[in-house]
């Protein structure tokens, strides 16, 4: 047998064996666990307490403590009783139970030899790869030219080329019709310039299940601003084909 381990190293195994002892009553097991887990002094290698203290801590009477001590005496503890219930009694772990706990610890470790992970090797620290990432001295990234994104939303496209006015830089957005607040605001701006409302000079188109008009913004710019003037000019140019077909929309 290998050298006997200190009790502190086999304490868990000892407690396991104590709790599995079918020859002890439940109260005796409770008292034994209390003595080791609460009262045991590792340096002195003993527990020292009076029966009355155990009874108060566990909520039992001193007679029950005395009966439990008798069950634990010999196999689990070597006991030196005090003069009375108020005088401390000394409890030492019995050599037989200490050896039994030691053997259990050895059996447990023998079955885990193939699973032991050694945290430190011959050289300390972490082993890092020797290669490093080559960082270019030229800033920026090399990538192919940005081809037109096929996922570009339809409502983010720009206005079509106009033969007379050139290409507009304003993006077209789908403004719902059917008397929406957007349509009413656009109609008010057009009437203020002597132009007919949208439904008289533009054709409705369905987008995402809703009917509406493709306009240079869902909402016209501030009144009297350059943005508003440009937007209305675009509306007039977009209404050109409709004007020729219906003869209703006039230029500014």
């Amino acid at each position: 047998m290998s050298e006997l381990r200190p009790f502190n190293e086999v304490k868990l195994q000892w407690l396991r064996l104590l709790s599995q002892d079918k020859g002890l009553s439940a109260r005796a097991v409770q008292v034994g666990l209390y003595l080791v887990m609460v009262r045991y002094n590792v340096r002195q290698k003993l527990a020292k307490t009076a029966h009355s203290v155990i009874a108060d801590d566990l909520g039992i009477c001193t007679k029950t403590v005395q009966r439990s001590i008798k069950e634990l005496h010999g196999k689990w503890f070597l006991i030196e009783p005090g003069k009375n219930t108020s005088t401390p009694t000394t409890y030492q772990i019995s050599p037989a139970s200490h050896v039994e706990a030691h053997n259990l610890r050895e059996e447990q470790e023998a079955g885990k030899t193939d699973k032991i992970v050694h945290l430190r090797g011959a050289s300390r620290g972490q082993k890092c790869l020797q290669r490093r990432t080559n960082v270019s001295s030229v800033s920026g990234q090399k990538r192919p030219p940005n081809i037109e994104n096929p996922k570009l939303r339809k409502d983010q496209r720009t206005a079509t080329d106009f033969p007379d006015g050139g290409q507009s830089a304003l993006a077209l957005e789908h403004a719902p019709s059917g008397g929406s607040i957007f349509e009413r605001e656009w109609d008010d701006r057009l009437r203020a310039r002597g132009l007919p409302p949208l439904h008289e000079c533009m054709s409705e188109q369905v987008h995402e299940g809703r009917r509406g008009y493709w306009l240079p913004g869902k909402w016209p710019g501030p009144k009297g601003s350059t943005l508003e003037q440009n937007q209305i000019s675009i509306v007039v140019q977009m209404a050109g084909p409709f004007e020729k077909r219906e003869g209703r929309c006039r230029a500014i």
Side-chain angles (χ1 to χ4, degrees):
M1 189 180 83
S2 60
E3 184 179 357
L4 189 65
R5 296 172 180 262
F7 178 73
N8 195 41
E9 295 184 9
V10 296
K11 181 178 178 180
L12 293 179
Q13 287 73 21
W14 190 94
L15 294 172
R16 175 181 174 182
L17 293 172
L18 174 70
S19 62
Q20 293 177 346
D21 190 347
K22 297 181 180 179
L24 297 176
S25 63
R27 189 65 70 184
V29 173
Q30 181 187 19
V31 173
L33 295 176
Y34 167 83
L35 290 173
V36 172
M37 299 181 66
V38 179
R39 294 296 176 179
Y40 188 79
N41 189 308
V42 178
R43 293 184 179 180
Q44 297 180 359
K45 298 181 181 180
L46 55 83
K48 197 171 185 180
T49 184
H51 291 179
S52 58
V53 175
I54 300 176
D56 292 340
D57 288 348
L58 298 181
I60 57 180
C61 63
T62 55
K63 292 290 185 182
T64 302
V65 174
Q66 290 175 353
R67 288 194 298 267
S68 300
I69 294 303
K70 288 181 181 180
E71 294 183 50
L72 296 171
H73 181 61
K75 182 178 180 180
W76 297 101
F77 291 98
L78 299 180
I79 302 174
E80 295 181 9
K83 295 181 180 180
N84 51 56
T85 58
S86 300
T87 305
T89 299
T90 303
Y91 304 87
Q92 292 180 323
I93 303 298
S94 66
S97 64
H98 190 168
V99 172
E100 193 174 356
H102 169 84
N103 293 336
L104 179 58
R105 173 71 182 268
E106 293 291 324
E107 292 176 6
Q108 291 176 344
E109 291 192 352
K112 295 182 179 180
T113 53
D114 57 335
K115 298 181 180 179
I116 295 177
V117 179
H118 300 282
L119 299 181
R120 291 184 179 179
S123 58
R124 298 185 179 181
Q126 298 180 349
K127 294 182 179 180
C128 302
L129 298 177
Q130 298 299 325
R131 60 184 179 86
R132 300 179 61 183
T133 303
N134 295 326
V135 182
S136 175
S137 58
V138 181
S139 60
Q141 298 181 352
K142 294 182 179 181
R143 64 175 186 175
N146 186 17
I147 306 175
E148 182 180 358
N149 189 354
K151 296 182 180 180
L152 185 65
R153 293 176 54 185
K154 294 181 180 180
D155 56 351
Q156 292 179 338
R157 57 190 178 186
T158 55
T160 55
D161 291 328
F162 305 120
D164 298 331
Q167 174 68 29
S168 171
L170 298 177
L172 296 183
E173 298 184 42
H174 192 264
S177 57
S180 68
I181 186 173
F182 305 104
E183 182 182 13
R184 295 197 302 270
E185 185 65 24
W186 274 104
D187 289 345
D188 292 344
R189 301 295 181 90
L190 292 173
R191 289 193 185 98
R193 293 175 175 266
L195 298 172
L198 291 175
H199 70 275
E200 293 185 7
C201 63
M202 297 191 70
S203 59
E204 290 181 290
Q205 297 183 18
V206 178
H207 176 66
E208 295 182 352
R210 296 196 62 178
R211 300 183 64 85
Y213 307 98
W214 284 106
L215 300 170
K218 282 189 175 182
W219 201 269
K223 292 183 179 180
S225 65
T226 304
L227 175 60
E228 180 197 33
Q229 184 176 0
N230 293 339
Q231 287 176 319
I232 294 180
S233 299
I234 293 173
V235 171
V236 173
Q237 294 181 58
M238 293 174 64
F242 193 88
E243 175 190 3
K244 294 179 180 179
R245 187 169 65 253
E246 302 292 336
R248 294 179 183 178
C249 201
R250 307 185 304 275
I252 298 177

